[in-house]
Amino acid sequence: MSLPRVLSIQSHTVHGYVGNKSAVFPLQLLGFEVDPINSVQFSNHTGYAGGFRGEVLQGAQLTALVDGLHSNGLLEGYAYVLTGYIGSASFLHAVLDVLRRLRAASPEVAYFCDPVMGDGGKLYVPAELLAIYRDQVVPLAAVLTPNGYEAELLTGRSILSEAEARSACEALHERGPHTVVITSIALPGRDDELLMLASRRDGAASRQWALRLPRLRQDFTGTGDLTAALLLAWMQRLPRAEQLGEVLERVGASLQAVLAHTQAAGRSEICLIQSQAELREPVVRQPV
């Protein structure tokens, strides 16, 4: 039996778990063939005190890789495209071209877009990427997975309450995606929890599910990349619109288990390998 294929275009670090290092392994555990393309290649993630070394790839490099796949008849058959951190405008424009080529070869390919731009009020990509995401990338996405700050950037509105988060999802649906998951929202006055909000629109009607998770007193990296990958995996297993709440529960359960392993190990890099059981079979403790 052939497995569903994913083309995952994200960052890569030699050490640690962000970008493709955070997404590929969980997808493979859950039964996907994953072909990773790296948008940047860094020694480690950019939050380390000693800095980082490496390179940001440009659009011509992505095009060359995809040309190689095309020359060997390997562009056909992808079920999903997943994108995460992209470090240059030329690379993001090239992603748009890749999507068009993939859809010409496989019209049913579904695009999962994690519009990685920043967090906590801080932008960590070139500012010019925002307009490209908002005006050109988001309309092509089937599923959009911003964090709260990225949802604010894409909609041009503040999210200070659950009602405003729900309204932001509706605004993002209007741009094209049938499914929007705001993966982490820290609301004022709720210091002990993070909100995940999933929204599915079919025709003119939308349905939304909220999941509240305990907020841990530690900063982690790679969790958004992991969340987007798990959403893809579980939406493939539970594909009906009314099952999105169940998807959210399973993603949240796996994420909490990974973070629990990470805290127990006293690490800042997330413990993916140690969390294999919970990635395969999450135990839901926080329902929607």
Side-chain angles (χ1 to χ4, degrees):
M1 183 181 70
S2 62
L3 300 175
R5 292 176 63 206
V6 180
L7 182 64
S8 180
I9 306 174
Q10 306 195 49
S11 63
H12 171 79
T13 58
V14 176
H15 174 78
Y17 292 93
V18 298
N20 273 326
K21 289 281 291 288
S22 188
V24 172
F25 177 66
L27 284 168
Q28 291 171 330
L29 277 180
L30 291 167
F32 293 81
E33 294 277 10
V34 188
D35 293 344
I37 293 179
N38 300 327
S39 60
V40 303
Q41 298 193 101
F42 292 160
S43 55
N44 46 269
H45 73 69
T46 59
Y48 275 78
F52 64 95
R53 301 292 186 274
E55 63 176 339
V56 176
L57 276 68
Q58 301 301 315
Q61 293 166 288
L62 174 59
T63 300
L65 292 171
V66 173
D67 284 346
L69 293 173
H70 175 70
S71 296
N72 291 284
L74 299 173
L75 278 187
E76 295 183 3
Y78 284 109
Y80 301 98
V81 177
L82 172 63
T83 62
Y85 180 89
I86 290 166
S88 70
S90 72
F91 197 97
L92 189 52
H93 281 299
V95 166
L96 295 170
D97 291 334
V98 170
L99 282 170
R100 296 184 186 103
R101 293 174 68 176
L102 286 173
R103 284 178 170 169
S106 303
E108 300 303 314
V109 67
Y111 176 31
F112 280 64
C113 174
D114 184 9
V116 179
M117 293 182 286
D119 199 6
K122 181 181 178 181
L123 195 70
Y124 44 64
V125 298
E128 62 186 316
L129 267 60
L130 171 57
I132 304 171
Y133 271 116
R134 183 188 62 226
D135 301 333
Q136 299 181 57
V137 178
V138 170
L140 297 178
V143 179
L144 187 70
T145 64
N147 61 32
Y149 176 58
E150 290 156 351
E152 290 181 325
L153 290 173
L154 291 170
T155 59
R157 60 179 72 184
S158 297
I159 299 176
L160 300 175
S161 67
E162 184 173 329
E164 290 177 342
R166 292 177 181 273
S167 178
C169 286
E170 295 292 350
L172 292 168
H173 283 311
E174 291 295 324
R175 295 185 180 273
H178 63 65
T179 300
V180 176
V181 182
I182 305 182
T183 56
S184 62
I185 311 167
L187 295 176
R190 298 186 183 178
D191 295 339
D192 60 342
E193 71 175 27
L194 287 174
L195 176 68
M196 297 180 70
L197 184 65
S199 182
R200 174 67 181 249
R201 176 176 287 187
D202 287 310
S206 298
R207 186 175 178 188
Q208 297 179 333
W209 295 263
L211 179 66
R212 292 166 179 81
L213 297 175
R215 188 174 184 180
L216 304 177
R217 299 303 171 190
Q218 182 178 338
D219 292 328
F220 301 94
T221 55
T223 52
D225 310 315
L226 172 61
T227 299
L230 291 174
L231 284 166
L232 188 160
W234 285 105
M235 287 183 69
Q236 197 269 342
R237 292 188 174 194
L238 301 169
R240 299 197 308 274
E242 64 270 20
Q243 293 178 303
L244 186 56
E246 297 176 59
V247 170
L248 195 63
E249 290 175 340
R250 284 162 174 75
V251 172
S254 285
L255 185 61
Q256 289 298 108
V258 169
L259 297 184
H261 279 292
T262 304
Q263 282 199 317
R267 289 174 41 163
S268 59
E269 299 283 0
I270 56 175
C271 289
L272 282 186
I273 308 304
Q274 299 87 336
S275 307
Q276 293 180 54
E278 294 91 342
L279 291 170
R280 287 195 186 97
E281 297 182 7
V283 178
V284 174
R285 294 185 172 88
Q286 273 95 23
V288 295

Coordinates of all heavy atoms in Angstrom, one line a residue, residues 78-126:
Y78 N 2.2 13.9 -5.1 CA 2.2 14.5 -3.7 C 0.7 14.7 -3.3 O -0.1 15.3 -4.1 CB 2.9 15.8 -3.7 CG 4.4 15.7 -3.7 CD1 5.2 16.0 -4.8 CD2 5.1 15.2 -2.6 CE1 6.6 15.9 -4.8 CE2 6.5 15.1 -2.5 CZ 7.2 15.4 -3.7 OH 8.6 15.3 -3.7
A79 N 0.5 14.3 -2.1 CA -0.9 14.6 -1.5 C -0.9 15.9 -0.8 O -2.0 16.6 -0.7 CB -1.3 13.5 -0.6
Y80 N 0.2 16.3 -0.2 CA 0.3 17.5 0.6 C 1.5 18.3 0.3 O 2.6 17.7 0.1 CB 0.2 17.1 2.1 CG -1.0 16.4 2.5 CD1 -0.9 15.0 2.6 CD2 -2.2 17.0 2.8 CE1 -2.0 14.2 3.0 CE2 -3.3 16.3 3.2 CZ -3.2 14.9 3.3 OH -4.3 14.2 3.6
V81 N 1.4 19.6 0.5 CA 2.6 20.5 0.6 C 2.5 21.2 2.0 O 1.4 21.7 2.3 CB 2.6 21.6 -0.5 CG1 3.8 22.5 -0.3 CG2 2.7 20.9 -1.9
L82 N 3.6 21.2 2.7 CA 3.6 21.9 4.0 C 4.7 22.9 4.0 O 5.9 22.5 3.7 CB 3.8 20.8 5.1 CG 4.1 21.3 6.5 CD1 2.9 22.1 7.1 CD2 4.5 20.2 7.4
T83 N 4.4 24.1 4.3 CA 5.5 25.1 4.4 C 5.6 25.7 5.7 O 4.5 25.9 6.4 CB 5.3 26.2 3.3 OG1 4.1 26.9 3.5 CG2 5.4 25.7 1.9
G84 N 6.8 26.1 6.2 CA 7.0 26.7 7.4 C 7.9 27.9 7.3 O 7.7 28.8 6.4
Y85 N 9.0 28.0 8.1 CA 9.8 29.2 8.1 C 10.5 29.3 6.7 O 11.1 28.4 6.2 CB 10.9 29.1 9.1 CG 11.9 30.2 9.2 CD1 11.6 31.4 10.0 CD2 13.0 30.2 8.4 CE1 12.4 32.4 10.0 CE2 13.9 31.3 8.5 CZ 13.6 32.4 9.3 OH 14.5 33.5 9.3
I86 N 10.4 30.5 6.2 CA 11.0 30.9 4.9 C 11.7 32.2 5.1 O 11.1 33.2 5.7 CB 10.0 31.0 3.8 CG1 9.5 29.6 3.4 CG2 10.6 31.7 2.5 CD1 8.3 29.5 2.6
G87 N 13.0 32.3 4.7 CA 13.8 33.4 5.1 C 14.1 34.5 4.1 O 14.7 35.5 4.4
S88 N 13.5 34.4 2.9 CA 13.7 35.4 1.9 C 12.5 35.5 1.0 O 11.8 34.6 0.8 CB 15.0 35.0 1.0 OG 14.7 33.9 0.2
A89 N 12.3 36.7 0.4 CA 11.2 37.0 -0.5 C 11.3 36.2 -1.7 O 10.3 35.6 -2.2 CB 11.1 38.5 -0.8
S90 N 12.5 36.0 -2.3 CA 12.7 35.3 -3.5 C 12.3 33.8 -3.3 O 11.7 33.2 -4.2 CB 14.1 35.4 -4.1 OG 15.0 34.7 -3.3
F91 N 12.6 33.3 -2.2 CA 12.3 31.9 -1.9 C 10.8 31.7 -1.8 O 10.2 30.7 -2.2 CB 13.0 31.4 -0.6 CG 13.0 29.9 -0.4 CD1 14.2 29.2 -0.8 CD2 12.0 29.2 0.1 CE1 14.2 27.8 -0.6 CE2 12.0 27.8 0.3 CZ 13.1 27.1 -0.1
L92 N 10.1 32.7 -1.1 CA 8.6 32.6 -0.9 C 7.9 32.7 -2.3 O 7.0 32.0 -2.6 CB 8.2 33.7 0.0 CG 6.7 33.6 0.5 CD1 6.3 32.2 1.0 CD2 6.4 34.7 1.5
H93 N 8.4 33.6 -3.2 CA 7.9 33.7 -4.5 C 8.1 32.4 -5.3 O 7.2 31.9 -6.0 CB 8.6 34.8 -5.3 CG 8.0 36.2 -5.0 ND1 6.7 36.5 -5.2 CD2 8.6 37.3 -4.5 CE1 6.5 37.8 -4.8 NE2 7.7 38.3 -4.4
A94 N 9.2 31.7 -5.1 CA 9.5 30.4 -5.7 C 8.5 29.4 -5.2 O 8.1 28.5 -5.9 CB 10.9 30.0 -5.5
V95 N 8.2 29.4 -3.9 CA 7.2 28.5 -3.3 C 5.9 28.6 -4.1 O 5.2 27.6 -4.4 CB 7.0 28.8 -1.8 CG1 5.7 28.0 -1.3 CG2 8.2 28.3 -1.0
L96 N 5.5 29.8 -4.4 CA 4.2 30.0 -5.2 C 4.3 29.3 -6.6 O 3.4 28.6 -7.0 CB 4.0 31.5 -5.4 CG 3.7 32.3 -4.2 CD1 3.7 33.8 -4.5 CD2 2.3 31.9 -3.6
D97 N 5.5 29.4 -7.2 CA 5.7 28.7 -8.5 C 5.6 27.2 -8.3 O 5.1 26.5 -9.1 CB 7.0 29.1 -9.1 CG 7.0 30.6 -9.6 OD1 5.9 31.1 -9.9 OD2 8.1 31.2 -9.6
V98 N 6.2 26.7 -7.2 CA 6.2 25.3 -6.9 C 4.8 24.8 -6.7 O 4.4 23.7 -7.3 CB 7.1 25.0 -5.7 CG1 6.9 23.5 -5.2 CG2 8.5 25.2 -6.0
L99 N 4.0 25.5 -6.0 CA 2.6 25.1 -5.8 C 1.8 25.0 -7.1 O 1.1 24.1 -7.4 CB 1.9 26.2 -4.9 CG 2.2 26.1 -3.4 CD1 1.6 27.3 -2.7 CD2 1.6 24.8 -2.8
R100 N 2.1 26.0 -8.0 CA 1.4 25.9 -9.3 C 1.9 24.7 -10.1 O 1.0 24.0 -10.8 CB 1.7 27.2 -10.1 CG 1.1 28.5 -9.4 CD 1.3 29.7 -10.2 NE 0.9 30.9 -9.5 CZ 1.7 31.8 -8.9 NH1 3.0 31.6 -9.0 NH2 1.2 32.8 -8.3
R101 N 3.1 24.4 -10.1 CA 3.6 23.2 -10.8 C 3.1 21.9 -10.2 O 2.7 21.0 -10.9 CB 5.2 23.2 -10.8 CG 5.8 24.4 -11.6 CD 7.3 24.4 -11.4 NE 8.0 23.3 -12.0 CZ 9.3 23.1 -12.1 NH1 10.1 24.1 -11.6 NH2 9.8 22.1 -12.7
L102 N 3.0 21.8 -8.9 CA 2.5 20.6 -8.3 C 1.1 20.4 -8.6 O 0.6 19.3 -8.8 CB 2.7 20.7 -6.7 CG 4.2 20.5 -6.2 CD1 4.2 20.8 -4.8 CD2 4.6 19.1 -6.5
R103 N 0.3 21.5 -8.6 CA -1.1 21.4 -8.9 C -1.4 21.0 -10.3 O -2.4 20.4 -10.6 CB -1.9 22.7 -8.4 CG -2.0 22.7 -6.9 CD -2.7 24.0 -6.5 NE -3.0 23.9 -5.0 CZ -3.4 24.9 -4.2 NH1 -3.5 26.1 -4.8 NH2 -3.6 24.7 -3.0
A104 N -0.5 21.4 -11.2 CA -0.6 21.0 -12.6 C -0.4 19.5 -12.7 O -1.0 18.8 -13.5 CB 0.4 21.8 -13.5
A105 N 0.5 19.0 -11.9 CA 0.8 17.5 -11.9 C -0.2 16.7 -11.1 O -0.6 15.6 -11.5 CB 2.2 17.3 -11.4
S106 N -0.6 17.3 -10.0 CA -1.5 16.6 -9.0 C -2.6 17.6 -8.6 O -2.4 18.3 -7.5 CB -0.8 16.0 -7.9 OG 0.2 15.1 -8.3
P107 N -3.7 17.8 -9.3 CA -4.6 18.9 -9.0 C -5.2 18.8 -7.6 O -5.6 19.8 -7.0 CB -5.7 18.7 -10.0 CG -5.0 18.0 -11.1 CD -4.0 17.1 -10.5
E108 N -5.2 17.6 -6.9 CA -5.8 17.5 -5.6 C -4.9 17.7 -4.5 O -5.3 17.6 -3.3 CB -6.4 16.0 -5.5 CG -7.5 15.7 -6.5 CD -8.6 16.7 -6.5 OE1 -9.1 17.0 -5.4 OE2 -9.0 17.1 -7.6
V109 N -3.6 18.1 -4.8 CA -2.7 18.4 -3.7 C -3.2 19.5 -2.7 O -3.7 20.5 -3.2 CB -1.3 18.7 -4.2 CG1 -1.3 20.1 -4.9 CG2 -0.2 18.7 -3.1
A110 N -3.1 19.2 -1.4 CA -3.6 20.1 -0.4 C -2.4 20.9 0.2 O -1.4 20.3 0.6 CB -4.4 19.4 0.7
Y111 N -2.6 22.2 0.3 CA -1.5 23.0 0.8 C -1.8 23.4 2.2 O -2.7 24.1 2.5 CB -1.3 24.3 -0.1 CG -0.3 25.3 0.4 CD1 0.8 24.9 1.1 CD2 -0.5 26.7 0.1 CE1 1.7 25.8 1.5 CE2 0.4 27.6 0.6 CZ 1.6 27.2 1.3 OH 2.5 28.1 1.7
F112 N -0.9 23.0 3.1 CA -0.9 23.4 4.6 C 0.2 24.5 4.7 O 1.4 24.2 4.6 CB -0.6 22.2 5.5 CG -1.7 21.3 5.7 CD1 -2.3 20.6 4.7 CD2 -2.3 21.1 7.0 CE1 -3.4 19.7 4.9 CE2 -3.3 20.3 7.2 CZ -3.9 19.6 6.2
C113 N -0.3 25.7 5.1 CA 0.6 26.8 5.2 C 0.8 27.3 6.7 O -0.2 27.7 7.3 CB 0.1 28.0 4.4 SG 1.1 29.5 4.6
D114 N 2.0 27.1 7.2 CA 2.3 27.7 8.5 C 3.0 29.0 8.2 O 4.2 29.0 7.9 CB 3.1 26.7 9.3 CG 3.4 27.2 10.7 OD1 2.8 28.3 11.1 OD2 4.3 26.6 11.4
P115 N 2.4 30.2 8.3 CA 3.0 31.4 7.9 C 3.9 32.0 8.9 O 3.7 33.0 9.6 CB 1.8 32.3 7.7 CG 0.8 31.8 8.7 CD 1.0 30.4 8.8
V116 N 5.1 31.3 9.1 CA 6.0 31.6 10.2 C 6.6 33.0 9.9 O 7.4 33.2 9.0 CB 7.1 30.6 10.3 CG1 8.1 30.9 11.4 CG2 6.5 29.2 10.5
M117 N 6.2 34.0 10.8 CA 6.8 35.3 10.7 C 7.3 35.9 12.0 O 8.2 36.7 12.0 CB 5.7 36.2 10.1 CG 5.3 36.0 8.7 SD 4.1 37.1 8.0 CE 2.6 36.5 8.8
G118 N 6.7 35.5 13.1 CA 7.1 36.0 14.4 C 6.3 35.5 15.5 O 5.4 34.6 15.3
D119 N 6.5 36.0 16.7 CA 5.8 35.6 17.9 C 6.0 36.6 19.0 O 7.0 37.3 19.0 CB 6.3 34.2 18.3 CG 5.3 33.5 19.2 OD1 4.1 34.0 19.4 OD2 5.6 32.4 19.8
G120 N 5.0 36.7 19.9 CA 5.1 37.6 21.0 C 5.4 39.0 20.6 O 6.1 39.7 21.4
G121 N 4.8 39.5 19.5 CA 5.0 40.8 19.1 C 6.2 41.1 18.4 O 6.5 42.3 18.0
K122 N 7.0 40.1 18.1 CA 8.4 40.3 17.4 C 8.4 39.6 16.1 O 8.1 38.4 16.0 CB 9.5 39.7 18.3 CG 10.9 39.9 17.7 CD 11.9 39.3 18.6 CE 13.3 39.5 18.0 NZ 14.4 38.9 18.9
L123 N 8.7 40.4 15.0 CA 8.8 39.8 13.7 C 10.2 39.3 13.5 O 11.2 40.0 13.8 CB 8.6 40.9 12.7 CG 8.3 40.5 11.2 CD1 7.0 39.8 11.1 CD2 8.3 41.8 10.3
Y124 N 10.4 38.0 13.0 CA 11.7 37.5 12.8 C 11.9 37.0 11.4 O 12.8 36.1 11.2 CB 12.1 36.4 13.8 CG 11.1 35.4 14.2 CD1 10.7 34.5 13.3 CD2 10.6 35.3 15.5 CE1 9.8 33.5 13.6 CE2 9.7 34.3 15.9 CZ 9.3 33.4 14.9 OH 8.4 32.4 15.3
V125 N 11.2 37.6 10.5 CA 11.5 37.4 9.0 C 11.5 38.8 8.4 O 11.1 39.8 9.0 CB 10.4 36.5 8.3 CG1 10.4 35.1 8.9 CG2 9.1 37.2 8.4
P126 N 12.1 39.0 7.2 CA 12.0 40.3 6.5 C 10.6 40.8 6.4 O 9.7 40.0 6.1 CB 12.6 40.0 5.2 CG 13.5 38.8 5.4 CD 12.9 38.0 6.4

